[in-house]
Amino acid sequence: MPLSWLYGAGAALHNRQFDLGIRKSVAFAFPVIVVGNLSAGGTGKTPMAEYLISLLATSYKTGVLSRGYRRKTKGYLEVEQQLSYRETGDEPMQLKRKFPQVMVAVCESRVIGLVSMVSDEPGLQVVILDDAFQHRAVKPGFSILLSEYAHLFTRDRLLPAGRLRESASGALRADVIVVTKCPVALSGNEREALKRELSPVLSKPVFFSTLQYGEPYDIFDNTRKRGVAAGDQVLLFCGIANPDALVTCLQRKEAAVQLIRFKDHHPFSLKQLKDIHQQFSGMKGGNKMLLTTEKDAVRLLPFKEFIDSHQLEIYCMPVQTVFPEADRKQFDEMIRSFVHSFNAEDHGQSTEGSRQDE
């Protein structure tokens, strides 16, 4: 707790400097949507970014800017499919593979990144900032705050005693709050109670979403799919923040699941892949499946030669954010309305600002 107090004081000072204008937030003359959270990892930011891309990219020239967590490069870089995830980060590469028509870029400085993106692609109409809720150097046009149902920010503590990156009062900066990974059967009474808990003062809109898993596909060929059936022997290996929802999904399909868990963003080694292969080969039963996540699949691409030479079939499980119908209509309308009616003057937008704040 003493370390949490020190951490909280530092985070509060950082935010106060922006609130008072001591440090400047740079605004832009086009819609910028921020997706983020108050806690460290596991809230479903990438599925939400994918949801927004699917919602907007058919009508607007859409881009995504990420930090590119754990990449080996520095500075601004546009993500191309021929690059390695080590150069781009795994999640940006996942987005680019899934949406090749969308501009995806990485940069530690979101200000420099946004300026570079519109310089490279002048026709860009809207940019989604992935995991940038604490990145106050950019003034967002619209902020979406995510909070996992099982780990609500209102019931958490600051790092390192808990998982919060900043105090729960940071939620006041959000335009909407989305509770992610909810049970499908969420009662109306619980919804109302959670709304009161998460947004007691300003009554910000609160939406509820679940994760829906699709049919697994081959990590090298997304047209080659295979379903999971009762009695299947599944060896699931993954390096994500929280695989519980995926394990539960497989168990509901009555599959027998063995889990090999790595840390989030784990860079697989050839030795580890050999060990996984050996464990999979030793599994009994006819209907065996070697399964991972889409994010992990990106980090397995460098091992294609080994995988092919051993005739390994590795499938990944796609996942998407799903809203109840009423929530979906309202949420979609808010996003579309923001982008469609965006007025730069209303948001004090410009690309001029103090890069030194970065």
Side-chain angles (χ1 to χ4, degrees):
M1 283 305 299
L3 291 176
S4 290
W5 297 332
L6 289 173
Y7 177 89
L13 177 61
H14 171 80
N15 281 319
R16 191 63 174 162
Q17 289 176 328
F18 282 101
D19 294 339
L20 295 176
I22 298 171
R23 300 179 69 180
K24 303 297 182 182
S25 296
V26 181
F28 287 82
F30 54 87
V32 175
I33 301 174
V34 164
V35 176
N37 53 18
L38 296 182
S39 62
T43 56
K45 294 183 294 295
T46 301
M48 177 55 70
E50 292 180 355
Y51 183 93
L52 294 171
I53 293 170
S54 298
L55 178 67
L56 297 171
T58 55
S59 302
Y60 302 94
K61 185 69 175 178
T62 303
V64 182
L65 178 62
S66 172
R67 176 186 173 187
Y69 185 64
R70 288 195 178 180
R71 64 189 173 113
K72 301 300 183 183
T73 54
K74 297 291 184 182
Y76 173 78
L77 178 67
E78 184 175 350
V79 179
E80 302 290 352
Q81 290 194 62
Q82 67 269 22
L83 297 175
S84 165
Y85 83 90
R86 296 184 180 93
E87 299 172 277
T88 66
D90 52 11
E91 289 165 339
M93 180 57 74
Q94 175 187 333
L95 291 172
K96 187 62 180 179
R97 292 184 74 206
K98 208 162 190 177
F99 302 95
Q101 79 283 9
V102 168
M103 184 182 191
V104 180
V106 293
C107 192
E108 298 88 345
S109 164
R110 305 307 202 282
V111 173
I112 294 175
L114 285 168
V115 171
S116 300
M117 287 180 76
V118 295
S119 176
D120 290 348
E121 184 57 68
L124 210 56
Q125 295 175 289
V126 56
V127 175
I128 300 162
L129 291 191
D130 184 29
D131 195 13
F133 194 79
Q134 283 76 36
H135 203 86
R136 301 285 307 272
V138 170
K139 182 180 180 182
F142 196 92
S143 289
I144 302 171
L145 178 65
L146 308 182
S147 187
E148 186 183 1
Y149 173 83
H151 302 282
L152 297 173
F153 65 80
T154 47
R155 306 173 188 178
D156 207 344
R157 294 180 176 181
L158 287 164
L159 290 166
R163 307 199 312 173
L164 291 183
R165 297 172 173 178
E166 60 174 303
S167 71
S169 64
L172 297 175
R173 301 197 307 273
D175 291 289
V176 299
I177 298 170
V178 178
V179 183
T180 63
K181 304 182 184 180
C182 293
V184 175
L186 192 65
S187 70
N189 288 338
E190 186 175 6
R191 284 170 58 98
E192 292 305 314
L194 289 174
K195 286 180 180 181
R196 291 192 297 271
E197 177 179 344
L198 295 170
S199 187
V201 180
L202 299 182
S203 299
K204 295 179 182 293
V206 178
F207 299 97
F208 300 88
S209 69
T210 60
L211 289 182
Q212 184 178 90
Y213 289 93
E215 191 173 30
Y217 62 86
D218 188 291
I219 64 172
F220 297 113
D221 181 3
N222 61 12
T223 65
R224 191 163 178 263
K225 300 181 179 182
R226 175 182 169 183
V228 179
D232 283 356
Q233 304 291 315
V234 178
L235 179 58
L236 172 65
F237 67 102
C238 55
I240 59 175
N242 187 355
D244 293 349
L246 177 52
V247 172
T248 299
C249 171
L250 295 170
Q251 290 173 339
R252 284 176 179 165
K253 294 176 182 291
E254 299 183 19
V257 183
Q258 296 183 40
L259 174 64
I260 304 175
R261 186 171 182 175
F262 298 91
K263 291 183 178 179
D264 197 15
H265 302 278
H266 177 77
F268 295 107
S269 68
L270 183 57
K271 181 182 182 305
Q272 288 168 338
L273 197 54
K274 288 179 178 178
D275 291 341
I276 291 168
H277 178 216
Q278 184 177 6
Q279 182 171 337
F280 182 69
S281 299
M283 289 173 60
K284 306 300 181 183
N287 293 325
K288 299 191 300 182
M289 175 185 282
L290 192 54
L291 186 65
T292 190
T293 70
E294 288 184 305
K295 187 167 80 170
D296 291 293
V298 170
R299 286 180 264 117
L300 293 169
L301 298 180
F303 303 104
K304 188 177 191 307
E305 183 178 348
F306 172 84
I307 293 169
D308 288 346
S309 66
H310 288 76
Q311 298 183 325
L312 267 179
E313 295 180 359
I314 304 178
Y315 292 84
C316 61
M317 195 88 159
V319 62
Q320 62 179 340
T321 291
V322 176
F323 291 95
E325 185 63 16
D327 284 35
R328 183 190 63 79
K329 288 182 177 180
Q330 186 181 354
F331 181 83
D332 289 3
E333 177 57 30
M334 289 186 71
I335 299 299
R336 289 196 183 104
S337 177
F338 160 69
V339 175
H340 178 72
S341 62
F342 180 83
N343 186 318
E345 293 182 359
D346 291 343
H347 293 267
Q349 311 295 76
S350 74
T351 56
E352 298 299 322
S354 50
R355 289 190 182 179
Q356 64 269 23
D357 286 332
E358 289 290 295

Short mmCIF file of all heavy atoms in Angstrom, two decimals, residues 191-224:
data_model
loop_
_atom_site.label_atom_id
_atom_site.label_comp_id
_atom_site.label_asym_id
_atom_site.label_seq_id
_atom_site.Cartn_x
_atom_site.Cartn_y
_atom_site.Cartn_z
N ARG A 191 -27.61 -4.60 -14.17
CA ARG A 191 -27.19 -3.54 -15.09
C ARG A 191 -27.37 -2.17 -14.44
O ARG A 191 -26.47 -1.32 -14.48
CB ARG A 191 -27.98 -3.62 -16.39
CG ARG A 191 -27.56 -4.73 -17.34
CD ARG A 191 -28.58 -4.87 -18.46
NE ARG A 191 -28.73 -3.63 -19.21
CZ ARG A 191 -28.11 -3.36 -20.37
NH1 ARG A 191 -27.32 -4.27 -20.92
NH2 ARG A 191 -28.32 -2.22 -20.99
N GLU A 192 -28.52 -1.94 -13.86
CA GLU A 192 -28.80 -0.64 -13.25
C GLU A 192 -27.89 -0.39 -12.04
O GLU A 192 -27.42 0.73 -11.84
CB GLU A 192 -30.27 -0.56 -12.83
CG GLU A 192 -31.24 -0.52 -14.00
CD GLU A 192 -30.92 0.60 -14.98
OE1 GLU A 192 -30.69 1.74 -14.51
OE2 GLU A 192 -30.91 0.34 -16.19
N ALA A 193 -27.64 -1.43 -11.26
CA ALA A 193 -26.74 -1.29 -10.11
C ALA A 193 -25.32 -0.94 -10.57
O ALA A 193 -24.65 -0.10 -9.96
CB ALA A 193 -26.74 -2.57 -9.28
N LEU A 194 -24.87 -1.59 -11.63
CA LEU A 194 -23.53 -1.31 -12.14
C LEU A 194 -23.43 0.09 -12.73
O LEU A 194 -22.41 0.77 -12.58
CB LEU A 194 -23.15 -2.35 -13.19
CG LEU A 194 -22.88 -3.76 -12.65
CD1 LEU A 194 -22.66 -4.73 -13.80
CD2 LEU A 194 -21.66 -3.75 -11.74
N LYS A 195 -24.47 0.54 -13.38
CA LYS A 195 -24.48 1.92 -13.90
C LYS A 195 -24.32 2.92 -12.77
O LYS A 195 -23.57 3.88 -12.87
CB LYS A 195 -25.77 2.18 -14.67
CG LYS A 195 -25.84 1.50 -16.03
CD LYS A 195 -27.16 1.83 -16.72
CE LYS A 195 -27.24 1.16 -18.08
NZ LYS A 195 -28.52 1.48 -18.79
N ARG A 196 -25.05 2.70 -11.69
CA ARG A 196 -24.95 3.62 -10.54
C ARG A 196 -23.56 3.56 -9.91
O ARG A 196 -23.04 4.58 -9.45
CB ARG A 196 -26.02 3.27 -9.50
CG ARG A 196 -27.44 3.59 -9.95
CD ARG A 196 -28.42 3.51 -8.78
NE ARG A 196 -28.50 2.16 -8.23
CZ ARG A 196 -29.36 1.22 -8.66
NH1 ARG A 196 -30.20 1.51 -9.64
NH2 ARG A 196 -29.39 0.03 -8.11
N GLU A 197 -22.97 2.39 -9.90
CA GLU A 197 -21.64 2.25 -9.29
C GLU A 197 -20.55 2.87 -10.15
O GLU A 197 -19.66 3.54 -9.62
CB GLU A 197 -21.33 0.76 -9.09
CG GLU A 197 -19.93 0.51 -8.52
CD GLU A 197 -19.64 -0.97 -8.32
OE1 GLU A 197 -20.61 -1.77 -8.32
OE2 GLU A 197 -18.46 -1.32 -8.18
N LEU A 198 -20.62 2.69 -11.45
CA LEU A 198 -19.54 3.13 -12.33
C LEU A 198 -19.63 4.60 -12.71
O LEU A 198 -18.62 5.23 -13.02
CB LEU A 198 -19.54 2.28 -13.61
CG LEU A 198 -19.22 0.80 -13.42
CD1 LEU A 198 -19.50 0.03 -14.70
CD2 LEU A 198 -17.76 0.64 -13.00
N SER A 199 -20.83 5.14 -12.72
CA SER A 199 -20.99 6.53 -13.12
C SER A 199 -21.96 7.24 -12.20
O SER A 199 -23.04 7.68 -12.60
CB SER A 199 -21.48 6.59 -14.57
OG SER A 199 -21.49 7.91 -15.04
N PRO A 200 -21.57 7.41 -10.92
CA PRO A 200 -22.51 7.95 -9.94
C PRO A 200 -22.73 9.45 -10.03
O PRO A 200 -23.76 9.95 -9.60
CB PRO A 200 -21.87 7.57 -8.60
CG PRO A 200 -20.39 7.54 -8.91
CD PRO A 200 -20.29 7.04 -10.32
N VAL A 201 -21.74 10.20 -10.58
CA VAL A 201 -21.81 11.66 -10.52
C VAL A 201 -22.35 12.25 -11.82
O VAL A 201 -23.38 12.92 -11.84
CB VAL A 201 -20.41 12.25 -10.22
CG1 VAL A 201 -20.50 13.78 -10.15
CG2 VAL A 201 -19.88 11.69 -8.91
N LEU A 202 -21.66 11.97 -12.93
CA LEU A 202 -22.01 12.62 -14.19
C LEU A 202 -22.98 11.80 -15.03
O LEU A 202 -23.39 12.24 -16.10
CB LEU A 202 -20.74 12.90 -15.00
CG LEU A 202 -19.73 13.83 -14.33
CD1 LEU A 202 -18.54 14.06 -15.24
CD2 LEU A 202 -20.38 15.17 -13.98
N SER A 203 -23.33 10.63 -14.56
CA SER A 203 -24.25 9.76 -15.28
C SER A 203 -23.84 9.57 -16.74
O SER A 203 -24.61 9.76 -17.67
CB SER A 203 -25.68 10.32 -15.21
OG SER A 203 -26.12 10.39 -13.88
N LYS A 204 -22.61 9.21 -16.92
CA LYS A 204 -22.12 8.91 -18.27
C LYS A 204 -22.80 7.64 -18.78
O LYS A 204 -23.15 6.75 -18.00
CB LYS A 204 -20.60 8.72 -18.25
CG LYS A 204 -19.83 9.98 -17.89
CD LYS A 204 -18.34 9.72 -17.87
CE LYS A 204 -17.58 10.97 -17.45
NZ LYS A 204 -17.69 12.05 -18.44
N PRO A 205 -22.96 7.54 -20.09
CA PRO A 205 -23.55 6.31 -20.63
C PRO A 205 -22.69 5.10 -20.29
O PRO A 205 -21.47 5.13 -20.43
CB PRO A 205 -23.57 6.56 -22.14
CG PRO A 205 -23.50 8.05 -22.29
CD PRO A 205 -22.69 8.54 -21.13
N VAL A 206 -23.33 4.04 -19.82
CA VAL A 206 -22.64 2.78 -19.51
C VAL A 206 -23.24 1.68 -20.37
O VAL A 206 -24.46 1.49 -20.39
CB VAL A 206 -22.77 2.42 -18.01
CG1 VAL A 206 -22.09 1.08 -17.73
CG2 VAL A 206 -22.18 3.51 -17.14
N PHE A 207 -22.37 0.97 -21.10
CA PHE A 207 -22.81 -0.11 -21.97
C PHE A 207 -22.22 -1.43 -21.48
O PHE A 207 -21.22 -1.44 -20.76
CB PHE A 207 -22.39 0.14 -23.42
CG PHE A 207 -22.97 1.40 -24.00
CD1 PHE A 207 -22.25 2.58 -24.01
CD2 PHE A 207 -24.25 1.40 -24.53
CE1 PHE A 207 -22.78 3.74 -24.55
CE2 PHE A 207 -24.80 2.56 -25.07
CZ PHE A 207 -24.06 3.73 -25.09
N PHE A 208 -22.83 -2.52 -21.91
CA PHE A 208 -22.40 -3.84 -21.47
C PHE A 208 -22.12 -4.70 -22.70
O PHE A 208 -22.91 -4.73 -23.64
CB PHE A 208 -23.46 -4.48 -20.58
CG PHE A 208 -23.76 -3.67 -19.35
CD1 PHE A 208 -24.72 -2.66 -19.38
CD2 PHE A 208 -23.05 -3.87 -18.18
CE1 PHE A 208 -24.98 -1.88 -18.26
CE2 PHE A 208 -23.30 -3.10 -17.04
CZ PHE A 208 -24.27 -2.10 -17.08
N SER A 209 -21.00 -5.40 -22.66
CA SER A 209 -20.62 -6.22 -23.82
C SER A 209 -20.10 -7.57 -23.35
O SER A 209 -19.70 -7.74 -22.20
CB SER A 209 -19.55 -5.51 -24.65
OG SER A 209 -18.32 -5.45 -23.94
N THR A 210 -20.13 -8.51 -24.27
CA THR A 210 -19.57 -9.84 -24.01
C THR A 210 -18.53 -10.14 -25.10
O THR A 210 -18.45 -9.43 -26.11
CB THR A 210 -20.65 -10.92 -24.05
OG1 THR A 210 -21.26 -10.92 -25.35
CG2 THR A 210 -21.71 -10.68 -23.00
N LEU A 211 -17.74 -11.17 -24.86
CA LEU A 211 -16.82 -11.67 -25.88
C LEU A 211 -17.44 -12.90 -26.53
O LEU A 211 -17.88 -13.81 -25.84
CB LEU A 211 -15.46 -12.03 -25.27
CG LEU A 211 -14.58 -10.86 -24.80
CD1 LEU A 211 -13.26 -11.39 -24.27
CD2 LEU A 211 -14.35 -9.85 -25.91
N GLN A 212 -17.47 -12.90 -27.83
CA GLN A 212 -18.03 -14.03 -28.57
C GLN A 212 -16.93 -14.66 -29.42
O GLN A 212 -16.29 -13.98 -30.23
CB GLN A 212 -19.18 -13.57 -29.45
CG GLN A 212 -19.89 -14.69 -30.18
CD GLN A 212 -21.05 -14.18 -31.01
OE1 GLN A 212 -20.91 -13.83 -32.17
NE2 GLN A 212 -22.21 -14.11 -30.36
N TYR A 213 -16.70 -15.95 -29.21
CA TYR A 213 -15.63 -16.64 -29.93
C TYR A 213 -16.19 -17.27 -31.20
O TYR A 213 -17.28 -17.82 -31.20
CB TYR A 213 -14.99 -17.70 -29.04
CG TYR A 213 -14.16 -17.09 -27.93
CD1 TYR A 213 -14.71 -16.84 -26.68
CD2 TYR A 213 -12.83 -16.73 -28.15
CE1 TYR A 213 -13.97 -16.26 -25.67
CE2 TYR A 213 -12.08 -16.15 -27.14
CZ TYR A 213 -12.64 -15.92 -25.91
OH TYR A 213 -11.91 -15.33 -24.91
N GLY A 214 -15.40 -17.19 -32.26
CA GLY A 214 -15.80 -17.75 -33.54
C GLY A 214 -15.15 -19.11 -33.78
O GLY A 214 -14.56 -19.72 -32.89
N GLU A 215 -15.25 -19.56 -35.02
CA GLU A 215 -14.71 -20.86 -35.38
C GLU A 215 -13.21 -20.77 -35.58
O GLU A 215 -12.72 -19.89 -36.30
CB GLU A 215 -15.38 -21.36 -36.66
CG GLU A 215 -15.09 -22.81 -36.99
CD GLU A 215 -15.90 -23.29 -38.17
OE1 GLU A 215 -16.21 -22.45 -39.06
OE2 GLU A 215 -16.23 -24.48 -38.22
N PRO A 216 -12.43 -21.65 -34.96
CA PRO A 216 -10.97 -21.60 -35.11
C PRO A 216 -10.54 -21.75 -36.57
O PRO A 216 -11.16 -22.48 -37.33
CB PRO A 216 -10.49 -22.78 -34.26
CG PRO A 216 -11.59 -23.04 -33.29
CD PRO A 216 -12.85 -22.71 -34.02
N TYR A 217 -9.46 -21.05 -36.92
CA TYR A 217 -8.91 -21.16 -38.27
C TYR A 217 -7.40 -21.35 -38.21
O TYR A 217 -6.76 -20.98 -37.22
CB TYR A 217 -9.28 -19.93 -39.11
CG TYR A 217 -8.73 -18.61 -38.61
CD1 TYR A 217 -7.45 -18.17 -38.97
CD2 TYR A 217 -9.50 -17.78 -37.79
CE1 TYR A 217 -6.95 -16.96 -38.52
CE2 TYR A 217 -9.01 -16.57 -37.33
CZ TYR A 217 -7.73 -16.17 -37.70
OH TYR A 217 -7.24 -14.95 -37.25
N ASP A 218 -6.85 -21.93 -39.27
CA ASP A 218 -5.41 -22.20 -39.35
C ASP A 218 -4.65 -20.88 -39.31
O ASP A 218 -5.02 -19.92 -39.99
CB ASP A 218 -5.11 -22.94 -40.65
CG ASP A 218 -3.68 -23.43 -40.72
OD1 ASP A 218 -2.76 -22.58 -40.83
OD2 ASP A 218 -3.46 -24.66 -40.67
N ILE A 219 -3.59 -20.80 -38.51
CA ILE A 219 -2.89 -19.53 -38.32
C ILE A 219 -2.22 -19.04 -39.60
O ILE A 219 -1.90 -17.85 -39.71
CB ILE A 219 -1.85 -19.61 -37.18
CG1 ILE A 219 -0.73 -20.60 -37.52
CG2 ILE A 219 -2.53 -19.96 -35.86
CD1 ILE A 219 0.42 -20.57 -36.51
N PHE A 220 -2.03 -19.93 -40.59
CA PHE A 220 -1.43 -19.52 -41.85
C PHE A 220 -2.44 -19.43 -42.99
O PHE A 220 -2.10 -19.00 -44.09
CB PHE A 220 -0.31 -20.50 -42.26
CG PHE A 220 0.83 -20.53 -41.28
CD1 PHE A 220 1.08 -21.67 -40.52
CD2 PHE A 220 1.65 -19.43 -41.10
CE1 PHE A 220 2.13 -21.71 -39.62
CE2 PHE A 220 2.70 -19.46 -40.19
CZ PHE A 220 2.94 -20.59 -39.45
N ASP A 221 -3.67 -19.83 -42.73
CA ASP A 221 -4.70 -19.82 -43.77
C ASP A 221 -6.06 -19.64 -43.11
O ASP A 221 -6.67 -20.60 -42.63
CB ASP A 221 -4.66 -21.13 -44.57
CG ASP A 221 -5.69 -21.17 -45.69
OD1 ASP A 221 -6.40 -20.16 -45.89
OD2 ASP A 221 -5.79 -22.22 -46.36
N ASN A 222 -6.55 -18.40 -43.11
CA ASN A 222 -7.79 -18.13 -42.38
C ASN A 222 -9.04 -18.68 -43.07
O ASN A 222 -10.15 -18.58 -42.53
CB ASN A 222 -7.96 -16.63 -42.12
CG ASN A 222 -8.02 -15.81 -43.40
OD1 ASN A 222 -8.17 -16.35 -44.49
ND2 ASN A 222 -7.90 -14.50 -43.27
N THR A 223 -8.88 -19.26 -44.25
CA THR A 223 -10.02 -19.91 -44.90
C THR A 223 -10.16 -21.37 -44.48
O THR A 223 -11.16 -22.01 -44.77
CB THR A 223 -9.88 -19.85 -46.44
OG1 THR A 223 -8.74 -20.62 -46.84
CG2 THR A 223 -9.72 -18.41 -46.91
N ARG A 224 -9.14 -21.88 -43.81
CA ARG A 224 -9.14 -23.28 -43.36
C ARG A 224 -9.61 -23.31 -41.90
O ARG A 224 -8.86 -22.97 -41.00
CB ARG A 224 -7.74 -23.85 -43.50
CG ARG A 224 -7.66 -25.35 -43.32
CD ARG A 224 -6.34 -25.87 -43.87
NE ARG A 224 -6.21 -27.31 -43.66
CZ ARG A 224 -5.56 -27.84 -42.64
NH1 ARG A 224 -4.95 -27.07 -41.76
NH2 ARG A 224 -5.49 -29.15 -42.51
#
